[in-house]
Amino acid sequence: MLEIVTNAHEYAARWLGVGKVASYIPSLANVEPNQLAVAITDKEGITYSAGDDDNLFTMQSVAKVLLLATALREVGFETVFRHVGMESTGDPFNSIIRLETMEIHKPQNPMINAGAIAVTSCIRGKSAQKRFEFLLEYARELLGNPQLTLDEDTFISEMKSGDRNRALGYMLRSTGVICSNVEQDLEVYFKACSILANCKEISFLGAVLAYGGVSPRTGKQLIDPTHVKYICAIMSTCGLYDASGEFALRVGIPAKSGVGGGILGVVPGKMGIGVFSPALDVHGNSVCGINAMEYLSNKLSLSVFSSVN
Amino acid sequence: MLEIVTNAHEYAARWLGVGKVASYIPSLANVEPNQLAVAITDKEGITYSAGDDDNLFTMQSVAKVLLLATALREVGFETVFRHVGMESTGDPFNSIIRLETMEIHKPQNPMINAGAIAVTSCIRGKSAQKRFEFLLEYARELLGNPQLTLDEDTFISEMKSGDRNRALGYMLRSTGVICSNVEQDLEVYFKACSILANCKEISFLGAVLAYGGVSPRTGKQLIDPTHVKYICAIMSTCGLYDASGEFALRVGIPAKSGVGGGILGVVPGKMGIGVFSPALDVHGNSVCGINAMEYLSNKLSLSVFSSVN
Amino acid sequence: MLEIVTNAHEYAARWLGVGKVASYIPSLANVEPNQLAVAITDKEGITYSAGDDDNLFTMQSVAKVLLLATALREVGFETVFRHVGMESTGDPFNSIIRLETMEIHKPQNPMINAGAIAVTSCIRGKSAQKRFEFLLEYARELLGNPQLTLDEDTFISEMKSGDRNRALGYMLRSTGVICSNVEQDLEVYFKACSILANCKEISFLGAVLAYGGVSPRTGKQLIDPTHVKYICAIMSTCGLYDASGEFALRVGIPAKSGVGGGILGVVPGKMGIGVFSPALDVHGNSVCGINAMEYLSNKLSLSVFSSVN
Amino acid sequence: MLEIVTNAHEYAARWLGVGKVASYIPSLANVEPNQLAVAITDKEGITYSAGDDDNLFTMQSVAKVLLLATALREVGFETVFRHVGMESTGDPFNSIIRLETMEIHKPQNPMINAGAIAVTSCIRGKSAQKRFEFLLEYARELLGNPQLTLDEDTFISEMKSGDRNRALGYMLRSTGVICSNVEQDLEVYFKACSILANCKEISFLGAVLAYGGVSPRTGKQLIDPTHVKYICAIMSTCGLYDASGEFALRVGIPAKSGVGGGILGVVPGKMGIGVFSPALDVHGNSVCGINAMEYLSNKLSLSVFSSVN
């Protein structure tokens, strides 16, 4: 297993130099682009990794999976999906159009920004701080790191430059999809996006999802198995922004990417995958990360659409 | 296996009476709504079926899978996807909007009407008749029925009432996505939609896709295995119109539905599924059909997103 | 002249009982719907009025004319139209779609909410309070009432329920169309909308615009004549929400309506018109108000598209 | 008057060399770009002209005014506006989007392509040929030239390259807005667009509209005065594609442009204007033509929004 991880890293490294790091906030723009790390966590909870596997990055949109898992646990399937849909959209991740055009104004799915904000509004608590702490505690279990924390600089920058998400939030409230305090929702949302992790922790989260919500290390049921199925289905159809369809064809693994350069992959019944490389393609997905995942998918026949199982 | 198929039929029959048959052409509007049939074809090519399993129905949008398979075989992956995208869309199946709004005007995917018409334009030949015969011959192999034919009445009605598809076709030609004869493309497309099949034949097509393109009866490679993976991925993200996401959550099986009431299901490595019941929900999917597939998915753990494999 | 005003009132009164008052905030929802007032101010500055001509109402969108006039005076044509376009749109007044879809993200025109907010951002000052006072002072001149003030209740309600406008504001800032403080812009905007006036004052504003920006009472040049031409042109193409075209056909007078029930009319070279009746049609325009203006237009051949001049 | 026309020509000539001729069909692409002509027809029916005033050009979208006048005469206001709206749109002239998004699917106004096709469907007759002859006969009266004819080459090219309009036509029929034969409607529409005229004839049409529908030469009532008011209002809000608003500000004259380089102007009660110069700006309007009209508007205070009358 270590060999295949090492080979995937080597293969993906060919794309180092391609793509650009996210530039909308300084803490992302200043990241060293030539980082690359690949990790797999298997049935026994053993993690194999290669490259810059201790390097931390902000989870960004990968945290949408955490937000969804937390909201599902707290308020359940019915309530969550009263605030957000299950369908993918051909629109960019930050699009506001359908919040106006759809007869039912709820955002299309939990993986676009508007949907993640609606999901965030389901995570309740006395203050934004309490709500985030609740999420963080759960995230620490799910990523297998009790020290997990956020990058304060990133959070502050996101809050400052978050006008588009602010517009999404107020639009949601204007149509009654959410009735919470938008600024507080954004605080929780941006804090979640600012959580720091390395690729090994991401692969551990993938393994929890791959094994029906059970921690492969402790055997503890961390996520309801039905929720796991839902989360994987949504990652599969909407996880890589408006390149989710192409990724399904080329790779065929339920996954979620973030503009921090991380990609979380879930191979049901088999393994969790975490890759990290901050240079992004035009869709906002890690260039090396996608190639590493494609390599693993092909070498190990991991596509859920493949007949070899 | 016969027992589970029978149980699925029995379970799904509870929804008989719910939904409405398609009404836009007489040959669909006059169909008896209370038909229901379920079939599975397994690794050995044995088909188990229950209910109205000999009843014929027009394939309608299920034929989009045939069109895609035929085009991929004839002109290959590169050419097909120069005419059509791979991403799902939040829009209705017959939407024309994105043909104008997208910078690249090609339709989003091969499962929406505009995409299927673009795919059809890749199936070449001296005349519409020749082009359709080419497709029909292949379809006979894929569905395992050398007598497969079309319903002439349905075809004629579709041609007469096909103004929306005509608009899509001319829109595609106006932006250079296709440069073929639109009326001929529509003839091939509507003829493909008018092909008559029963649920056992649909399940056989599913089995061919489930086993990497190999006929489980003859062992003959009918579809390139790479194309199979692509077709299944596209069915998974776009196969049930704008309810594809919900179906992925509830059922998790790559599938394609048609307004004739049929649904094709593919469980990679495991089986092909064909269900038929003409009463449709608001999205245009068979009400009983979806419930039959959900039953099978839950009882046999067929979801590709499930950890139990 | 008094006779024609009285007749217009009598004619328009036939529509009392038709339409509904705006209901999104209490101070509008609780308004007595059966009020009706008509006023004309002529070349000499004499105002003829009939009906509830002393009744006050909040200017609402009629204030968009004040905002535009103030911004043009303060920063000039070039700067204002760097923030906002000149074209009408087929969209509802509060639509957010084009702020995303247009290549140039500036709002289409100053008469839709997004455009009025962008215009407001051009009215500068140390605080929202100062900025509004600046506008109010000018408004007092333009409406010929040194006591002009706002309705505090309406302002507070608008701020509370203003999430859609908040979304528009943050959307504008996220694309760099504005770089001001959104909450302050909204304060100025909502205060302007909450200004109380009666129909006679509105007709006086109309007269100022009808006579090239010169007060017909004092002879003072209040608005630059070029700005007057621009304001009237914009009112003509975008003044009655998405019924501006129909109003141009039926009435042909540059006008601006508000959901408070007021309509400002400008007949270039001839007169200013102010009408008020709070029951609105589906487009948000005063039912009796439109009929009063149509009566005046027909009786006095006021349409700018009429050959009789 | 001749002097002002000559001066307008001289002024507008400064923009010769700016802009590009339409290139989508050979008969437009091959036109000499440096042509320029200006004409005015006054109350007495006397036409003053300067420049290339005998040069013929195809009317293109200017013919939408003829189509509307003919349809109004044949089937009346109610019927025409059951097929088409009165509101301007922020969309390009050939946009198909709103035909899908609007609840009522009729095109927004008679000056966009979809609207003009819907208007054309109201001009009835046994064959496309008869329907066009009917229009042509009327056009000969309205332009004051009994020899008026069409350019066969342009017509044939338009039919060949007319897929976008074909898409619009079939879209209209698919939603029941029209129920006529689309190919025939397109034949009438493209023939109307191919009518050849010079700027003097265009200015005569303008004069007929300026004087309430009465020919200033014969005194004959050619267009119903109510229809004239409607036509002018529609020209004012939608006549210059998506630059209609800017034209209202700068020029303020009801006008209709065509990609052949012609612009028809109507100054109610005062004069008709015809200008011609084939190089177009990005919106499809004649560059020199707009400048000539702006010159005339400023020098003679022709803006309908100007207080000097």
Side-chain angles (χ1 to χ4, degrees):
Chain A
M1 203 59 124
L2 185 57
E3 197 188 339
I4 194 85
V5 168
T6 309
N7 291 347
H9 177 273
E10 198 177 311
Y11 174 82
R14 297 183 202 167
W15 280 269
L16 283 173
V18 182
K20 284 186 186 166
V21 300
S23 58
Y24 68 97
I25 54 171
S27 63
L28 288 174
N30 297 333
V31 154
E32 158 59 38
N34 284 323
Q35 301 175 78
L36 174 58
V38 182
I40 279 177
T41 296
D42 72 6
K43 221 177 204 111
E44 279 72 41
I46 303 169
T47 299
Y48 304 88
S49 58
D52 306 314
D53 55 0
D54 284 325
N55 291 18
L56 294 172
F57 51 92
T58 51
M59 290 185 74
Q60 299 293 345
S61 288
V62 181
K64 286 169 181 166
V65 174
L66 296 179
L67 288 161
L68 179 56
T70 308
L72 282 170
R73 188 169 75 151
E74 192 172 1
V75 298
F77 176 82
E78 292 299 330
T79 303
V80 167
F81 288 96
R82 216 178 303 124
H83 292 79
V84 70
M86 305 171 181
E87 300 305 319
S88 67
T89 123
D91 305 318
F93 68 100
N94 62 358
S95 182
I96 205 162
I97 297 176
R98 281 174 202 266
L99 298 187
E100 178 172 326
T101 58
M102 299 293 285
E103 265 173 75
I104 300 155
H105 296 283
K106 65 184 186 184
Q108 300 273 109
N109 68 65
M111 298 293 123
I112 53 172
N113 289 17
I117 293 167
V119 166
T120 302
S121 79
C122 297
I123 303 171
R124 289 156 197 171
K126 286 205 173 162
S127 66
Q129 186 54 27
K130 289 274 175 217
R131 291 164 66 192
F132 174 66
E133 279 167 14
F134 181 80
L135 174 122
L136 183 61
E137 200 178 345
Y138 190 30
R140 284 169 172 170
E141 282 196 281
L142 292 171
L143 277 87
N145 175 2
Q147 313 298 329
L148 204 71
T149 186
L150 64 83
D151 184 56
E152 198 69 34
D153 276 1
T154 300
F155 164 65
I156 289 163
S157 296
E158 296 277 7
M159 277 301 269
K160 260 192 209 150
S161 72
D163 285 332
R164 182 62 172 263
N165 287 314
R166 210 159 265 120
L168 292 171
Y170 284 110
M171 191 74 185
L172 289 171
R173 205 170 70 174
S174 77
T175 55
V177 173
I178 65 174
C179 47
S180 42
N181 180 308
V182 171
E183 286 301 325
Q184 281 188 16
D185 289 342
L186 290 177
E187 185 181 330
V188 178
Y189 173 65
F190 286 135
K191 279 185 171 164
C193 292
S194 305
I195 291 175
L196 286 164
N198 63 35
C199 72
K200 294 179 287 187
E201 292 155 0
I202 298 291
S203 81
F204 182 76
L205 169 59
V208 173
L209 289 161
Y211 303 117
V214 174
S215 164
R217 288 187 195 145
T218 66
K220 190 178 163 194
Q221 185 82 40
L222 297 177
I223 313 178
D224 181 288
T226 319
H227 295 172
V228 168
K229 227 177 63 175
Y230 296 160
I231 292 169
C232 289
I234 286 170
M235 288 168 69
S236 177
T237 53
C238 329
L240 275 90
Y241 305 115
D242 43 355
S244 300
E246 189 181 344
F247 189 81
L249 264 75
R250 283 177 55 190
V251 181
I253 294 174
K256 182 73 205 87
S257 63
V259 292
I263 306 181
L264 160 71
V266 180
V267 192
K270 292 192 180 149
M271 69 182 69
I273 302 175
V275 296
F276 163 58
S277 185
L280 309 176
D281 64 21
V282 289
H283 302 286
N285 297 315
S286 168
V287 173
C288 293
I290 282 186
N291 281 288
M293 295 205 56
E294 188 174 22
Y295 182 89
L296 292 170
S297 175
N298 287 337
K299 287 292 165 188
L300 301 172
S301 288
L302 301 182
S303 169
V304 298
F305 308 118
S306 162
S307 55
V308 188
N309 274 298
Chain B
M1 203 59 125
L2 186 56
E3 196 187 339
I4 193 86
V5 168
T6 309
N7 290 347
H9 178 272
E10 198 177 311
Y11 174 82
R14 297 183 202 168
W15 279 269
L16 284 173
V18 182
K20 284 186 184 163
V21 299
S23 59
Y24 67 97
I25 53 171
S27 63
L28 287 174
N30 298 331
V31 155
E32 158 59 38
N34 284 324
Q35 302 175 76
L36 174 59
V38 182
I40 279 177
T41 295
D42 73 5
K43 220 178 204 113
E44 280 71 41
I46 302 170
T47 300
Y48 303 88
S49 59
D52 306 315
D53 55 359
D54 284 326
N55 290 18
L56 294 173
F57 51 91
T58 51
M59 290 185 74
Q60 298 295 344
S61 288
V62 181
K64 286 169 181 166
V65 175
L66 295 178
L67 288 161
L68 179 56
T70 307
L72 282 169
R73 188 169 74 152
E74 193 172 0
V75 300
F77 175 82
E78 291 299 331
T79 304
V80 167
F81 288 96
R82 218 178 302 123
H83 293 78
V84 70
M86 306 171 180
E87 300 305 318
S88 67
T89 124
D91 305 318
F93 67 99
N94 63 358
S95 181
I96 205 163
I97 297 176
R98 280 174 203 266
L99 298 187
E100 179 171 326
T101 57
M102 298 293 286
E103 264 172 77
I104 299 155
H105 296 282
K106 65 184 186 184
Q108 298 273 109
N109 67 67
M111 299 292 123
I112 54 172
N113 288 16
I117 294 168
V119 166
T120 302
S121 79
C122 296
I123 302 171
R124 288 156 197 172
K126 286 205 174 163
S127 65
Q129 187 54 29
K130 289 272 175 219
R131 290 164 65 191
F132 175 67
E133 279 167 14
F134 181 80
L135 173 122
L136 183 61
E137 200 177 344
Y138 190 31
R140 285 170 171 169
E141 282 197 280
L142 291 172
L143 277 87
N145 174 2
Q147 313 298 330
L148 204 73
T149 187
L150 65 83
D151 183 56
E152 198 69 34
D153 276 1
T154 301
F155 165 63
I156 289 164
S157 296
E158 297 276 8
M159 277 300 269
K160 261 191 207 150
S161 70
D163 285 333
R164 182 63 171 262
N165 287 314
R166 209 160 265 118
L168 292 170
Y170 284 111
M171 191 74 184
L172 289 171
R173 206 170 69 175
S174 77
T175 54
V177 173
I178 65 174
C179 47
S180 43
N181 179 308
V182 172
E183 288 299 325
Q184 282 189 15
D185 288 343
L186 290 177
E187 185 180 328
V188 177
Y189 173 66
F190 286 135
K191 279 185 169 164
C193 292
S194 305
I195 290 176
L196 287 163
N198 63 34
C199 73
K200 294 179 287 186
E201 293 155 1
I202 298 292
S203 80
F204 183 76
L205 170 58
V208 171
L209 289 161
Y211 303 116
V214 174
S215 164
R217 288 187 195 143
T218 66
K220 192 179 165 192
Q221 185 83 39
L222 297 177
I223 313 178
D224 182 289
T226 320
H227 295 172
V228 169
K229 227 176 64 175
Y230 295 159
I231 292 168
C232 290
I234 287 170
M235 288 168 69
S236 177
T237 52
C238 330
L240 274 91
Y241 306 116
D242 42 356
S244 300
E246 188 181 344
F247 189 81
L249 264 75
R250 284 178 53 190
V251 182
I253 294 174
K256 181 73 205 86
S257 63
V259 293
I263 306 180
L264 161 71
V266 179
V267 191
K270 290 192 180 150
M271 69 183 67
I273 302 175
V275 296
F276 163 58
S277 184
L280 309 176
D281 63 22
V282 290
H283 301 287
N285 297 315
S286 169
V287 174
C288 293
I290 283 185
N291 281 289
M293 296 203 59
E294 189 174 22
Y295 182 89
L296 292 170
S297 175
N298 286 338
K299 287 293 163 185
L300 301 172
S301 287
L302 301 181
S303 169
V304 299
F305 308 117
S306 162
S307 55
V308 188
N309 274 297
Chain C
M1 203 58 123
L2 185 56
E3 196 187 342
I4 194 85
V5 168
T6 308
N7 291 347
H9 178 274
E10 197 177 313
Y11 174 82
R14 298 183 201 169
W15 278 269
L16 283 173
V18 182
K20 284 184 184 165
V21 300
S23 59
Y24 68 97
I25 54 170
S27 63
L28 287 174
N30 298 331
V31 153
E32 158 60 38
N34 284 323
Q35 301 175 76
L36 174 58
V38 182
I40 279 177
T41 296
D42 73 4
K43 221 180 202 108
E44 279 73 39
I46 302 169
T47 301
Y48 304 88
S49 59
D52 306 314
D53 55 358
D54 283 326
N55 290 18
L56 294 174
F57 51 93
T58 51
M59 289 185 75
Q60 299 292 346
S61 288
V62 180
K64 286 169 181 165
V65 174
L66 294 179
L67 288 162
L68 179 57
T70 308
L72 283 169
R73 188 171 73 152
E74 191 172 1
V75 299
F77 176 82
E78 291 299 330
T79 303
V80 167
F81 288 96
R82 217 179 302 124
H83 292 79
V84 70
M86 306 170 180
E87 300 305 320
S88 68
T89 124
D91 304 318
F93 68 98
N94 63 356
S95 182
I96 204 163
I97 297 177
R98 281 174 202 267
L99 298 187
E100 179 172 327
T101 57
M102 297 295 284
E103 265 172 76
I104 300 155
H105 295 282
K106 64 185 187 182
Q108 299 273 110
N109 67 66
M111 298 293 124
I112 54 173
N113 288 16
I117 294 168
V119 166
T120 302
S121 80
C122 297
I123 303 170
R124 288 158 197 171
K126 286 204 175 162
S127 66
Q129 187 54 29
K130 289 273 175 220
R131 290 163 65 191
F132 174 67
E133 279 167 13
F134 182 80
L135 173 122
L136 183 62
E137 199 178 346
Y138 191 29
R140 285 169 172 170
E141 282 197 281
L142 292 172
L143 277 86
N145 174 2
Q147 313 298 330
L148 204 71
T149 187
L150 64 84
D151 184 55
E152 198 69 32
D153 276 0
T154 300
F155 164 63
I156 288 163
S157 296
E158 296 278 7
M159 276 302 266
K160 262 193 207 150
S161 71
D163 285 331
R164 181 64 171 262
N165 287 314
R166 209 159 264 119
L168 292 170
Y170 284 111
M171 191 73 185
L172 289 171
R173 207 171 66 174
S174 77
T175 54
V177 173
I178 66 174
C179 46
S180 42
N181 180 308
V182 172
E183 288 300 325
Q184 282 189 16
D185 288 343
L186 290 177
E187 185 180 330
V188 177
Y189 174 64
F190 286 135
K191 279 185 170 163
C193 292
S194 305
I195 290 175
L196 286 164
N198 63 35
C199 73
K200 294 179 287 188
E201 291 155 1
I202 298 292
S203 80
F204 182 76
L205 169 58
V208 171
L209 288 161
Y211 303 117
V214 174
S215 164
R217 288 186 195 145
T218 66
K220 191 179 165 193
Q221 185 83 39
L222 297 177
I223 313 178
D224 181 289
T226 320
H227 295 172
V228 168
K229 225 176 66 174
Y230 295 159
I231 292 168
C232 289
I234 287 171
M235 288 169 68
S236 177
T237 53
C238 328
L240 275 90
Y241 305 117
D242 42 355
S244 301
E246 189 182 343
F247 189 81
L249 264 74
R250 284 177 55 190
V251 181
I253 294 174
K256 181 74 205 84
S257 63
V259 293
I263 306 179
L264 160 71
V266 178
V267 192
K270 291 190 180 153
M271 69 183 68
I273 302 176
V275 296
F276 162 58
S277 184
L280 309 176
D281 63 21
V282 289
H283 302 286
N285 297 315
S286 169
V287 174
C288 293
I290 283 186
N291 281 289
M293 294 205 58
E294 189 175 21
Y295 182 90
L296 292 170
S297 175
N298 287 337
K299 288 292 164 187
L300 301 172
S301 289
L302 301 181
S303 169
V304 297
F305 308 118
S306 159
S307 55
V308 189
N309 275 297
Chain D
M1 203 59 123
L2 184 57
E3 196 187 340
I4 193 87
V5 168
T6 308
N7 290 347
H9 177 273
E10 197 177 312
Y11 174 82
R14 297 183 201 169
W15 280 268
L16 283 172
V18 180
K20 283 184 186 168
V21 298
S23 58
Y24 67 97
I25 53 170
S27 63
L28 287 174
N30 298 332
V31 153
E32 159 60 37
N34 284 324
Q35 301 174 77
L36 174 57
V38 182
I40 279 177
T41 296
D42 73 6
K43 222 180 201 108
E44 279 72 41
I46 301 168
T47 300
Y48 303 87
S49 59
D52 307 313
D53 56 358
D54 284 325
N55 290 19
L56 294 173
F57 51 92
T58 51
M59 290 184 75
Q60 298 294 344
S61 288
V62 181
K64 286 169 180 165
V65 174
L66 295 179
L67 288 161
L68 179 57
T70 308
L72 283 169
R73 189 171 73 152
E74 192 172 0
V75 299
F77 176 82
E78 292 298 331
T79 304
V80 166
F81 287 96
R82 217 178 303 124
H83 293 78
V84 70
M86 306 170 180
E87 299 305 319
S88 68
T89 123
D91 306 317
F93 68 99
N94 63 356
S95 182
I96 205 163
I97 296 176
R98 281 174 202 268
L99 298 188
E100 179 172 325
T101 56
M102 298 294 285
E103 266 172 75
I104 300 156
H105 295 282
K106 65 184 187 183
Q108 300 273 109
N109 67 65
M111 298 293 124
I112 55 173
N113 288 16
I117 293 168
V119 165
T120 303
S121 80
C122 297
I123 303 171
R124 288 159 197 170
K126 287 205 174 163
S127 66
Q129 187 53 30
K130 289 273 173 218
R131 291 163 65 191
F132 175 66
E133 279 168 13
F134 182 80
L135 174 122
L136 183 61
E137 200 178 344
Y138 190 30
R140 284 170 172 169
E141 282 197 281
L142 292 172
L143 276 87
N145 174 2
Q147 313 297 330
L148 204 72
T149 186
L150 66 82
D151 183 56
E152 198 68 33
D153 276 1
T154 300
F155 164 64
I156 288 163
S157 296
E158 296 276 7
M159 277 301 267
K160 262 193 207 150
S161 71
D163 285 332
R164 181 64 172 262
N165 288 313
R166 209 159 265 118
L168 292 171
Y170 284 110
M171 191 74 185
L172 289 171
R173 206 171 68 174
S174 77
T175 54
V177 173
I178 66 173
C179 46
S180 43
N181 180 308
V182 171
E183 287 300 325
Q184 281 189 16
D185 288 344
L186 290 177
E187 185 181 330
V188 177
Y189 174 65
F190 286 135
K191 279 185 171 164
C193 292
S194 304
I195 291 174
L196 287 163
N198 64 34
C199 72
K200 294 178 287 185
E201 292 154 1
I202 298 293
S203 80
F204 182 75
L205 169 58
V208 172
L209 288 161
Y211 303 118
V214 174
S215 164
R217 288 188 195 142
T218 66
K220 191 178 163 192
Q221 185 84 39
L222 296 178
I223 313 178
D224 180 288
T226 319
H227 296 171
V228 168
K229 225 176 67 175
Y230 296 159
I231 292 168
C232 289
I234 288 171
M235 288 168 68
S236 177
T237 53
C238 328
L240 275 90
Y241 306 115
D242 42 355
S244 299
E246 189 181 344
F247 188 81
L249 264 74
R250 284 177 54 191
V251 182
I253 294 173
K256 181 74 204 88
S257 63
V259 292
I263 305 180
L264 160 71
V266 179
V267 192
K270 290 192 180 150
M271 68 182 70
I273 302 175
V275 296
F276 163 59
S277 184
L280 309 176
D281 63 23
V282 291
H283 301 287
N285 297 316
S286 169
V287 174
C288 293
I290 283 185
N291 281 289
M293 295 204 58
E294 188 174 22
Y295 182 89
L296 291 170
S297 175
N298 287 338
K299 288 292 164 187
L300 301 172
S301 288
L302 301 182
S303 170
V304 298
F305 309 117
S306 161
S307 56
V308 188
N309 275 297

